Amino acid sequence: MLMEPQHDAKMSRTRNRPLVRGLITKKGALVFATMAGILGVGGLWFGVNPTVAFLGGFTIFLYAGVYTPMKRISVLNTWVGAIVGSIPPLMGWAAAAGQSAAGSGEWKELLLGEENAGGWLLAALLFAWQFPHFNALSWTIREEYKNAGFRMLAWTNTKMNGRVALRYSLLFIPICFGLTWCGVTDRGFLVTSTVVNAWMVREAWKFWRKEGQKGSARGLFWASVWHLPVVMVLAMAHKQGLWEGIWRRTFGDEDDRHDIWDGEEDELEGEPGRISPTPPSTAART
């Protein structure tokens, strides 16, 4: 925002931002952003772990230093922005992995190896989601992006805009399959997520075929708004071992019941003056 208030003023979705309206000065915005970045990254370093702090700092750099100026240079800015959006779930994964790290908790232990594939799949899910969401959103205000000088597929190449949205919508299916394959979710997630992903693919297909016309852009946009939280909630509901754990804590299993009964018998046999119960088969023989 610090670099482009004069361009943001040309767009309806950004013209009311405080910096654009002159409610704060550029110097004030820079001081606030710098302090927020330092305190945020520092809090992650000391409160979580250095790996998460690095990812947070890298996100700030990528957004402010690469994505923002790139918007006026190349349509590839959307891919860079998608990387920015994909990092937060990876930060969450690294934070959780750091709490249970068996070794020194270095970045290799938190981010690399088969056991961390789930974190990268979650990041891939957020990366892929950016395209159907933003491509549909930007199409509805493509003339504003053009007038402001922001290079977006919505106005530079409308056909490719639809193809990219459809292409990345199709990726949701193998990504969600991968979450089950890696043991992050149970097999039920394959069914429930496929239903939601199929709906998203359908809207993306319509958006591509109709080139954003006849309400297809709005349909894809609202599908993307609902898609992400629904898939995330489903992933939590289908967390591997969640329902088995709830069942055991609530009802126990057959082995647990036998263990409890055997423990009670041992306690009874150990009490003075207590006669151990005679099994029915033994009583019948006597």
Short mmCIF file of all heavy atoms in Angstrom, two decimals, residues 132-159:
data_model
loop_
_atom_site.label_atom_id
_atom_site.label_comp_id
_atom_site.label_asym_id
_atom_site.label_seq_id
_atom_site.Cartn_x
_atom_site.Cartn_y
_atom_site.Cartn_z
N PRO A 132 -8.77 -19.76 -8.37
CA PRO A 132 -10.20 -19.61 -8.66
C PRO A 132 -10.82 -18.45 -7.89
O PRO A 132 -11.71 -17.76 -8.42
CB PRO A 132 -10.79 -20.96 -8.23
CG PRO A 132 -9.79 -21.57 -7.32
CD PRO A 132 -8.46 -21.08 -7.80
N HIS A 133 -10.34 -18.21 -6.68
CA HIS A 133 -10.90 -17.11 -5.89
C HIS A 133 -10.56 -15.75 -6.51
O HIS A 133 -11.46 -14.95 -6.79
CB HIS A 133 -10.36 -17.18 -4.46
CG HIS A 133 -10.80 -16.05 -3.60
ND1 HIS A 133 -12.09 -15.93 -3.13
CD2 HIS A 133 -10.12 -14.96 -3.12
CE1 HIS A 133 -12.20 -14.83 -2.40
NE2 HIS A 133 -11.01 -14.22 -2.39
N PHE A 134 -9.27 -15.50 -6.73
CA PHE A 134 -8.88 -14.18 -7.21
C PHE A 134 -9.23 -13.97 -8.69
O PHE A 134 -9.61 -12.87 -9.09
CB PHE A 134 -7.38 -13.96 -7.01
CG PHE A 134 -6.92 -12.62 -7.51
CD1 PHE A 134 -7.22 -11.47 -6.80
CD2 PHE A 134 -6.22 -12.51 -8.71
CE1 PHE A 134 -6.82 -10.22 -7.27
CE2 PHE A 134 -5.83 -11.27 -9.18
CZ PHE A 134 -6.12 -10.12 -8.46
N ASN A 135 -9.09 -15.01 -9.51
CA ASN A 135 -9.40 -14.85 -10.92
C ASN A 135 -10.86 -14.51 -11.14
O ASN A 135 -11.20 -13.73 -12.04
CB ASN A 135 -9.03 -16.12 -11.69
CG ASN A 135 -7.53 -16.28 -11.82
OD1 ASN A 135 -6.76 -15.66 -11.10
ND2 ASN A 135 -7.10 -17.13 -12.74
N ALA A 136 -11.74 -15.08 -10.33
CA ALA A 136 -13.16 -14.73 -10.43
C ALA A 136 -13.42 -13.32 -9.90
O ALA A 136 -14.17 -12.54 -10.50
CB ALA A 136 -14.00 -15.75 -9.65
N LEU A 137 -12.80 -12.99 -8.77
CA LEU A 137 -12.96 -11.66 -8.18
C LEU A 137 -12.45 -10.58 -9.13
O LEU A 137 -13.12 -9.56 -9.36
CB LEU A 137 -12.24 -11.59 -6.85
CG LEU A 137 -12.28 -10.30 -6.03
CD1 LEU A 137 -12.11 -10.63 -4.55
CD2 LEU A 137 -11.22 -9.29 -6.45
N SER A 138 -11.26 -10.78 -9.67
CA SER A 138 -10.65 -9.75 -10.52
C SER A 138 -11.38 -9.58 -11.84
O SER A 138 -11.36 -8.49 -12.42
CB SER A 138 -9.17 -10.10 -10.79
OG SER A 138 -9.05 -11.34 -11.45
N TRP A 139 -12.05 -10.64 -12.31
CA TRP A 139 -12.76 -10.51 -13.57
C TRP A 139 -13.90 -9.50 -13.47
O TRP A 139 -14.15 -8.75 -14.41
CB TRP A 139 -13.32 -11.88 -14.00
CG TRP A 139 -13.86 -11.86 -15.40
CD1 TRP A 139 -13.19 -12.16 -16.55
CD2 TRP A 139 -15.19 -11.50 -15.80
NE1 TRP A 139 -14.01 -12.02 -17.64
CE2 TRP A 139 -15.25 -11.61 -17.21
CE3 TRP A 139 -16.34 -11.09 -15.13
CZ2 TRP A 139 -16.38 -11.33 -17.94
CZ3 TRP A 139 -17.49 -10.81 -15.86
CH2 TRP A 139 -17.51 -10.94 -17.24
N THR A 140 -14.56 -9.46 -12.33
CA THR A 140 -15.71 -8.55 -12.18
C THR A 140 -15.29 -7.09 -12.16
O THR A 140 -16.10 -6.21 -12.45
CB THR A 140 -16.48 -8.88 -10.89
OG1 THR A 140 -15.61 -8.71 -9.77
CG2 THR A 140 -17.00 -10.30 -10.90
N ILE A 141 -14.02 -6.81 -11.83
CA ILE A 141 -13.54 -5.42 -11.80
C ILE A 141 -12.29 -5.29 -12.68
O ILE A 141 -11.38 -4.51 -12.38
CB ILE A 141 -13.23 -4.96 -10.36
CG1 ILE A 141 -12.30 -5.94 -9.64
CG2 ILE A 141 -14.51 -4.77 -9.56
CD1 ILE A 141 -11.86 -5.47 -8.26
N ARG A 142 -12.27 -6.04 -13.76
CA ARG A 142 -11.09 -6.07 -14.63
C ARG A 142 -10.76 -4.71 -15.23
O ARG A 142 -9.59 -4.38 -15.42
CB ARG A 142 -11.29 -7.12 -15.73
CG ARG A 142 -12.49 -6.88 -16.63
CD ARG A 142 -12.81 -8.12 -17.44
NE ARG A 142 -13.94 -7.92 -18.35
CZ ARG A 142 -15.21 -7.96 -17.94
NH1 ARG A 142 -15.50 -8.19 -16.67
NH2 ARG A 142 -16.19 -7.78 -18.81
N GLU A 143 -11.78 -3.92 -15.55
CA GLU A 143 -11.52 -2.60 -16.11
C GLU A 143 -10.85 -1.68 -15.10
O GLU A 143 -10.02 -0.84 -15.47
CB GLU A 143 -12.83 -1.99 -16.61
CG GLU A 143 -13.43 -2.69 -17.82
CD GLU A 143 -12.47 -2.69 -19.01
OE1 GLU A 143 -11.76 -1.69 -19.21
OE2 GLU A 143 -12.43 -3.71 -19.73
N GLU A 144 -11.17 -1.84 -13.83
CA GLU A 144 -10.54 -1.03 -12.80
C GLU A 144 -9.06 -1.42 -12.65
O GLU A 144 -8.20 -0.54 -12.48
CB GLU A 144 -11.26 -1.20 -11.46
CG GLU A 144 -12.67 -0.64 -11.46
CD GLU A 144 -13.29 -0.69 -10.08
OE1 GLU A 144 -12.55 -0.88 -9.09
OE2 GLU A 144 -14.52 -0.54 -9.98
N TYR A 145 -8.78 -2.70 -12.69
CA TYR A 145 -7.38 -3.14 -12.65
C TYR A 145 -6.62 -2.59 -13.86
O TYR A 145 -5.45 -2.16 -13.73
CB TYR A 145 -7.29 -4.67 -12.64
CG TYR A 145 -7.43 -5.28 -11.28
CD1 TYR A 145 -8.54 -6.04 -10.93
CD2 TYR A 145 -6.43 -5.11 -10.33
CE1 TYR A 145 -8.66 -6.62 -9.67
CE2 TYR A 145 -6.53 -5.68 -9.07
CZ TYR A 145 -7.65 -6.43 -8.74
OH TYR A 145 -7.76 -6.98 -7.50
N LYS A 146 -7.25 -2.60 -15.00
CA LYS A 146 -6.61 -2.09 -16.22
C LYS A 146 -6.33 -0.60 -16.10
O LYS A 146 -5.22 -0.13 -16.43
CB LYS A 146 -7.51 -2.37 -17.42
CG LYS A 146 -6.89 -1.97 -18.75
CD LYS A 146 -7.82 -2.35 -19.90
CE LYS A 146 -7.19 -1.98 -21.24
NZ LYS A 146 -8.07 -2.38 -22.38
N ASN A 147 -7.31 0.18 -15.64
CA ASN A 147 -7.14 1.62 -15.50
C ASN A 147 -6.09 1.98 -14.45
O ASN A 147 -5.41 3.01 -14.57
CB ASN A 147 -8.48 2.28 -15.15
CG ASN A 147 -9.49 2.16 -16.28
OD1 ASN A 147 -9.11 2.05 -17.46
ND2 ASN A 147 -10.77 2.17 -15.93
N ALA A 148 -5.97 1.13 -13.42
CA ALA A 148 -5.00 1.39 -12.36
C ALA A 148 -3.59 0.92 -12.75
O ALA A 148 -2.62 1.24 -12.06
CB ALA A 148 -5.43 0.70 -11.07
N GLY A 149 -3.49 0.17 -13.83
CA GLY A 149 -2.19 -0.29 -14.30
C GLY A 149 -1.70 -1.57 -13.65
O GLY A 149 -0.51 -1.90 -13.75
N PHE A 150 -2.61 -2.30 -13.00
CA PHE A 150 -2.24 -3.58 -12.38
C PHE A 150 -2.44 -4.69 -13.40
O PHE A 150 -3.55 -4.90 -13.90
CB PHE A 150 -3.07 -3.85 -11.15
CG PHE A 150 -2.85 -2.86 -10.04
CD1 PHE A 150 -3.91 -2.20 -9.45
CD2 PHE A 150 -1.57 -2.58 -9.58
CE1 PHE A 150 -3.72 -1.29 -8.43
CE2 PHE A 150 -1.36 -1.68 -8.56
CZ PHE A 150 -2.43 -1.02 -7.98
N ARG A 151 -1.38 -5.41 -13.68
CA ARG A 151 -1.43 -6.44 -14.72
C ARG A 151 -1.98 -7.75 -14.15
O ARG A 151 -1.30 -8.46 -13.41
CB ARG A 151 -0.04 -6.66 -15.32
CG ARG A 151 0.52 -5.40 -15.98
CD ARG A 151 1.76 -5.71 -16.79
NE ARG A 151 1.49 -6.64 -17.89
CZ ARG A 151 0.95 -6.30 -19.06
NH1 ARG A 151 0.58 -5.03 -19.27
NH2 ARG A 151 0.75 -7.20 -20.00
N MET A 152 -3.22 -8.03 -14.52
CA MET A 152 -3.92 -9.23 -14.07
C MET A 152 -4.45 -9.98 -15.29
O MET A 152 -4.82 -9.37 -16.29
CB MET A 152 -5.07 -8.87 -13.13
CG MET A 152 -4.67 -8.04 -11.93
SD MET A 152 -3.52 -8.91 -10.85
CE MET A 152 -3.08 -7.60 -9.69
N LEU A 153 -4.51 -11.30 -15.18
CA LEU A 153 -5.01 -12.11 -16.28
C LEU A 153 -6.44 -11.74 -16.66
O LEU A 153 -6.84 -11.95 -17.81
CB LEU A 153 -4.94 -13.59 -15.91
CG LEU A 153 -3.57 -14.27 -15.96
CD1 LEU A 153 -3.68 -15.70 -15.44
CD2 LEU A 153 -3.01 -14.27 -17.38
N ALA A 154 -7.18 -11.21 -15.72
CA ALA A 154 -8.58 -10.90 -15.97
C ALA A 154 -8.76 -9.97 -17.16
O ALA A 154 -9.78 -10.05 -17.86
CB ALA A 154 -9.21 -10.28 -14.72
N TRP A 155 -7.79 -9.09 -17.42
CA TRP A 155 -7.91 -8.20 -18.57
C TRP A 155 -6.80 -8.38 -19.61
O TRP A 155 -6.97 -8.05 -20.78
CB TRP A 155 -7.96 -6.73 -18.14
CG TRP A 155 -6.70 -6.17 -17.55
CD1 TRP A 155 -6.34 -6.15 -16.25
CD2 TRP A 155 -5.62 -5.53 -18.27
NE1 TRP A 155 -5.11 -5.55 -16.08
CE2 TRP A 155 -4.65 -5.14 -17.31
CE3 TRP A 155 -5.38 -5.24 -19.61
CZ2 TRP A 155 -3.46 -4.49 -17.65
CZ3 TRP A 155 -4.20 -4.59 -19.95
CH2 TRP A 155 -3.25 -4.23 -18.97
N THR A 156 -5.67 -8.97 -19.22
CA THR A 156 -4.60 -9.17 -20.19
C THR A 156 -4.83 -10.42 -21.03
O THR A 156 -4.44 -10.46 -22.21
CB THR A 156 -3.23 -9.30 -19.49
OG1 THR A 156 -3.26 -10.42 -18.61
CG2 THR A 156 -2.90 -8.04 -18.71
N ASN A 157 -5.46 -11.44 -20.45
CA ASN A 157 -5.71 -12.69 -21.18
C ASN A 157 -6.90 -13.39 -20.53
O ASN A 157 -6.73 -14.25 -19.66
CB ASN A 157 -4.47 -13.58 -21.14
CG ASN A 157 -4.56 -14.75 -22.12
OD1 ASN A 157 -5.64 -15.24 -22.44
ND2 ASN A 157 -3.41 -15.21 -22.60
N THR A 158 -8.10 -13.03 -20.94
CA THR A 158 -9.31 -13.54 -20.28
C THR A 158 -9.47 -15.05 -20.42
O THR A 158 -9.96 -15.72 -19.51
CB THR A 158 -10.56 -12.84 -20.85
OG1 THR A 158 -10.58 -13.00 -22.28
CG2 THR A 158 -10.53 -11.35 -20.53
N LYS A 159 -9.06 -15.61 -21.56
CA LYS A 159 -9.18 -17.06 -21.75
C LYS A 159 -8.25 -17.82 -20.81
O LYS A 159 -8.63 -18.82 -20.21
CB LYS A 159 -8.90 -17.43 -23.21
CG LYS A 159 -9.99 -16.96 -24.17
CD LYS A 159 -9.72 -17.46 -25.59
CE LYS A 159 -10.83 -17.03 -26.53
NZ LYS A 159 -10.62 -17.51 -27.92
#
